[in-house]
Amino acid sequence: MRMQREFIKNRSGGSYLHVYNHITSEKTNHYPLADEIHQDKFFVICKDYLVKYNLEVISTVCMGNHFHMLVYCPEEKLSLEEALMAYNAFHAHKKYPPKVDTDSYEAEHVQEHCNDISEYMREVQRTYSEWHNKICGFKRGGHLWQARFQSQLIQSSAYLWACLRYIEMNPVRAGICPSAGEFSGSTFGRWCENGTHCFEEAFLEHIVSLANDHDKVSMTDFKTYLTSEFDRLSYTDEMKKLMACGQKT
């Protein structure tokens, strides 16, 4: 399997973003996103808010005191009817879901911000912060996050492919685990553990489509390919470390 290297074709003005942020804390050893319960909650929050946003998360990793996400932001917005359906779907689990129509402020607000990465990340980070502060039960000064969030624009297929590998290889390069498939705080690790990709539809459209003859490539084929690719990257990194140590002696 080979990956295409050309520049990404314009998708109606949409854009790919590498999104990330760090947690700030008065405690030097405070790594909430290293805990499996916190990782699970972060993934749930990310998926829950996608219900009312016209955004597509492709890959995510929780790294103790920070996270990385690969997100596609389309240019087109939802129609008012679609925004209303999205709003109602998001609140459907409540005991007394609000009753709104297409003329309501709520539907118009969802339509206006449905492809707004800033609004999405604001809600994700705020909701996680509220849950974190409630479950931790200790006093903490200041905000949980160092900043609102940071992002880098991805403008080529090669960069998109490299960004995916960078995100999923983070726990390996940090020395947390020997292989990307063993880390439950990442989309690839959860894919290997559960047999399903958290964001399969987006992954198929934006990553598997990078492969030559992608119409013939299944998710199972691509997972096998990624496993060998991550193993190759791990081996290459280890060899570089050994070579560096050899040069010092």
Side-chain angles (χ1 to χ4, degrees), residues 132-194:
H132 171 269
N133 291 343
K134 181 178 180 180
I135 198 173
C136 283
F138 63 83
K139 293 183 178 180
R140 178 182 50 81
H143 298 285
L144 178 65
W145 303 101
Q146 285 186 359
R148 68 188 261 277
F149 73 92
Q150 298 182 64
S151 64
Q152 293 179 336
L153 180 65
I154 298 171
Q155 295 180 299
S156 73
S157 296
Y159 188 7
L160 179 63
W161 175 230
C163 186
L164 173 78
R165 291 182 297 171
Y166 171 79
I167 289 173
E168 299 291 357
M169 283 293 291
N170 249 253
V172 178
R173 289 179 173 151
I176 298 174
C177 58
S179 66
E182 297 180 37
F183 188 68
S184 61
S186 69
T187 43
F188 184 71
R190 288 169 180 248
W191 188 7
C192 292
E193 182 179 319
N194 303 323

Side-chain angles (χ1 to χ4, degrees), residues 77-124:
K77 293 182 181 292
L78 300 173
S79 66
L80 262 178
E81 291 75 15
E82 290 171 331
L84 175 61
M85 291 175 61
Y87 179 85
N88 288 334
F90 180 76
H91 292 281
H93 68 283
K94 293 185 177 179
K95 187 175 182 180
Y96 301 105
K99 296 180 179 180
V100 298
D101 55 39
T102 53
D103 295 328
S104 67
Y105 163 79
E106 290 84 357
E108 292 178 355
H109 183 81
V110 170
Q111 182 191 40
E112 176 64 25
H113 296 283
C114 63
N115 58 354
D116 186 344
I117 187 66
S118 294
E119 188 71 7
Y120 171 73
M121 292 308 305
R122 182 187 68 80
E123 294 205 89
V124 167

Side-chain angles (χ1 to χ4, degrees), residues 193-234:
E193 182 179 319
N194 303 323
T196 56
H197 195 286
C198 302
F199 311 106
E200 181 169 333
E201 187 174 339
F203 193 85
L204 273 167
E205 180 179 355
H206 301 290
I207 300 300
V208 176
S209 62
L210 293 178
N212 287 344
D213 300 322
H214 60 83
D215 291 337
K216 302 176 184 177
V217 178
S218 68
M219 286 290 283
T220 301
D221 293 333
F222 209 89
K223 183 169 74 170
T224 301
Y225 173 73
L226 276 179
T227 300
S228 63
E229 178 68 7
F230 292 150
D231 287 345
R232 182 189 67 80
L233 291 172
S234 299

